[in-house]
Amino acid sequence: MNATMPMRPIDRYFASYSDDHRNVLNQRIHVVAVPAILWSVVALIWCIPTFGTWMKTGIWAALAMFFAWMFYYRMSRPLGLGMLAVFFFCGCLCRLVEMRFGLAALLWSAVTVFVVAWIAQFIGHKFEGRKPSFLTDLVYLLVGPAWVLAKLYRVLGWKY
């Protein structure tokens, strides 16, 4: 980036997040665990009961995904569009599991994935020797998925 050009907020977030994720093993764990956690959180919110018959399951997850998407889109339009696709996939997977196996199976799958993925994250940070970024600022819970997606963008030669 040009020295005279100010860094975008997303670049500052990624620089700080990257400082806490230098170890190759920790990075590899994050590439798997962060998307797993993202899906599990969407699935957990998907399972929140709604009141009234006009609302279907998933409405709360749709709202949460929309507000998270707004954060990503404001930080970077290309990443925002990528996260929209990720959220669409998460929603479709939740609906598929719910339709095929039931809401209870979705809930238990989400809890299991959430716990296993967080254990993996903390193991990665043990190897890293640094605490997770979100312990300094909760916004890094949103930065993590975008950081993983940005890694994919770089592999594909796409700008974010």
Side-chain angles (χ1 to χ4, degrees), residues 69-144:
W69 172 79
M70 286 182 11
F71 169 81
Y72 296 121
Y73 192 75
R74 284 185 59 216
M75 292 290 137
S76 162
R77 287 185 180 161
L79 278 176
L81 293 174
M83 288 306 297
L84 183 63
V86 169
F87 285 137
F88 179 76
F89 175 79
C90 288
C92 288
L93 185 56
C94 288
R95 184 69 179 129
L96 179 69
V97 172
E98 179 189 12
M99 285 175 44
R100 180 122 181 163
F101 304 106
L103 197 58
L106 177 62
L107 175 63
W108 287 110
S109 298
V111 168
T112 302
V113 168
F114 185 85
V115 169
V116 169
W118 272 110
I119 289 169
Q121 294 270 75
F122 282 106
I123 290 170
H125 278 284
K126 184 72 173 164
F127 280 98
E128 182 77 46
R130 293 175 150 263
K131 64 183 179 178
S133 299
F134 76 89
L135 293 176
T136 57
D137 187 345
L138 290 177
V139 76
Y140 286 103
L141 290 171
L142 288 172
V143 171

Side-chain angles (χ1 to χ4, degrees), residues 25-80:
L25 177 61
N26 190 28
Q27 288 182 23
R28 288 181 180 159
I29 289 170
H30 276 63
V31 166
V32 174
V34 168
I37 291 169
L38 177 64
W39 173 81
S40 69
V41 169
V42 169
L44 289 169
I45 298 170
W46 188 282
C47 294
I48 295 173
T50 57
F51 302 101
T53 58
W54 63 275
M55 284 184 150
K56 300 287 185 191
T57 57
I59 190 71
W60 301 120
L63 288 171
M65 289 187 286
F66 175 75
F67 286 114
W69 172 79
M70 286 182 11
F71 169 81
Y72 296 121
Y73 192 75
R74 284 185 59 216
M75 292 290 137
S76 162
R77 287 185 180 161
L79 278 176

